[in-house]
Amino acid sequence: MFRPDNEPPPEGIPRLLVVFQRGKLVSDMRSTMPCLLQEEAVRLGGWDVRRSHFVGYWEEQPCFALEIDEAHELEPDTYQVGSLWHLVGRVDEQLFALAGRAAQLLDWERDHQFCGRCGERMQADTRERAMRCARCSVTCYPRIAPCVIVLVTRGEELLLARGRNHPQGMYSTLAGFIEAGESVEECLIREVKEEVGVTVGNLKYFQSQSWPFPNQLMLGFFAEYESGDIVCDPSEIAEADWFHFRDLPRVPPPASVAGQLIGHYINTLVKAE
């Protein structure tokens, strides 16, 4: 079980590591938990650590996120370097959350090395998870981008769309970022209207999920179709359609909140039969 924490443990306690190089996750292909490396991997590999962050605890063992120097050549028979996407659906949901938190913390420090107001180099605050500017006192916390993700339904039909960047044949729910001054509900209605041209109502919250691509908090909802024909925004949606719940295209895995929305709705329909 993963337990996030901001207070680093005392020195000398054995640690687990989530290691990144050039922004990519380093996985041990011999392990059943490929994203967790032992401390000896750094020592034996002679890896230089560029930055490190305490992430939390995995089964009460402290875990740290490490970024190693990009010049190191890793043993190809042992380590795989790739995107966090490689973990989706392959590891426990809690383990994926740990790896995602590690990636977000390293990205946050990398993107806040200098103050956006005065240009001074930022310093890590030792009392809390923050980067501070000593000159003008600007404080930057890890950035979270809230998003709405929604499954639009019409009885036994689900409205699914294939984004322009989705693999061929992969359909998913609709999603969008919440804009400044906008409520979650306003964002949901606007995004659905903009992306596929239909109007929805009867919004019901489902659950949330931290989604590290790169720093999103996905707020999952169900919404019922009210009116309108599907008209896709070509800048975002390649195609969209209504699908009967017994005849769905390829959809996201259960590890994602999109997959969980779809699975939950199908189970509800099956139980109602």
Side-chain angles (χ1 to χ4, degrees):
M1 179 65 71
F2 172 47
R3 175 165 62 87
D5 201 332
N6 290 334
E7 186 67 30
E11 292 293 331
I13 299 178
R15 307 173 178 198
L16 295 171
L17 308 175
V18 185
V19 179
F20 292 83
Q21 185 184 49
R22 303 184 188 92
K24 301 292 186 180
L25 178 69
V26 177
S27 298
D28 185 345
M29 296 184 291
R30 303 164 300 178
S31 174
T32 57
M33 296 187 293
C35 60
L36 290 181
L37 306 186
Q38 301 291 332
E39 285 186 281
E40 66 176 8
V42 176
R43 178 178 58 82
L44 293 176
W47 300 342
D48 294 320
V49 178
R50 298 179 59 182
R51 52 176 61 93
S52 172
H53 278 281
F54 175 58
V55 178
Y57 292 87
W58 177 259
E59 298 181 350
E60 298 309 312
Q61 190 169 356
C63 298
F64 282 76
L66 266 60
E67 181 182 7
I68 62 173
D69 193 277
E70 59 186 37
H72 292 302
E73 294 290 338
L74 305 184
E75 177 55 54
D77 292 334
T78 302
Y79 298 109
Q80 178 185 46
V81 181
S83 166
L84 280 174
W85 280 108
H86 294 163
L87 295 181
V88 177
R90 294 177 54 193
V91 300
D92 178 272
E93 185 176 334
Q94 290 288 310
L95 191 56
F96 178 73
L98 187 159
R101 178 174 165 89
Q104 290 178 76
L105 291 176
L106 291 173
D107 287 348
W108 161 68
E109 182 184 350
R110 180 202 62 205
D111 294 344
H112 291 86
Q113 296 182 56
F114 297 93
C115 177
R117 178 182 295 171
C118 71
E120 183 76 6
R121 180 171 285 277
M122 302 282 276
Q123 300 295 325
D125 192 313
T126 58
R127 299 166 299 174
E128 61 177 339
R129 187 84 70 183
M131 298 289 286
R132 298 190 188 278
C133 176
R135 177 187 291 173
C136 68
S137 301
V138 162
T139 302
C140 294
Y141 297 96
R143 182 178 56 196
I144 303 297
C147 306
V148 169
I149 183 165
V150 55
L151 175 60
V152 179
T153 64
R154 187 174 64 182
E156 295 187 345
E157 294 181 309
L158 287 63
L159 199 167
L160 301 175
R162 185 172 68 83
R164 289 179 56 85
N165 297 321
H166 286 179
Q168 187 69 31
M170 169 67 78
Y171 285 74
S172 186
T173 53
L174 302 172
F177 289 98
I178 301 173
E179 296 184 355
E182 187 175 48
S183 72
V184 176
E185 293 80 6
E186 289 169 340
C187 172
L188 187 158
I189 293 170
R190 173 185 57 78
E191 283 288 345
V192 173
K193 188 69 172 178
E194 289 178 355
E195 292 189 353
V196 294
V198 304
T199 301
V200 296
N202 193 21
L203 315 184
K204 294 181 180 178
Y205 175 73
F206 176 58
Q207 67 184 39
S208 64
Q209 181 181 42
S210 176
W211 196 241
F213 299 108
N215 48 33
Q216 297 158 234
L217 177 62
M218 310 297 289
L219 306 173
F221 280 81
F222 295 105
E224 294 180 1
Y225 168 83
E226 286 191 344
S227 63
D229 297 324
I230 294 177
V231 179
C232 296
D233 175 0
S235 66
E236 295 191 44
I237 305 297
E239 50 189 331
D241 207 344
W242 293 102
F243 295 90
H244 191 273
F245 79 97
R246 294 193 183 279
D247 187 24
L248 295 181
R250 186 157 60 101
V251 297
S256 68
V257 70
Q260 292 164 28
L261 280 163
I262 294 168
H264 182 86
Y265 192 73
I266 291 175
N267 289 337
T268 300
L269 292 174
V270 170
K271 290 178 181 178
E273 289 183 336

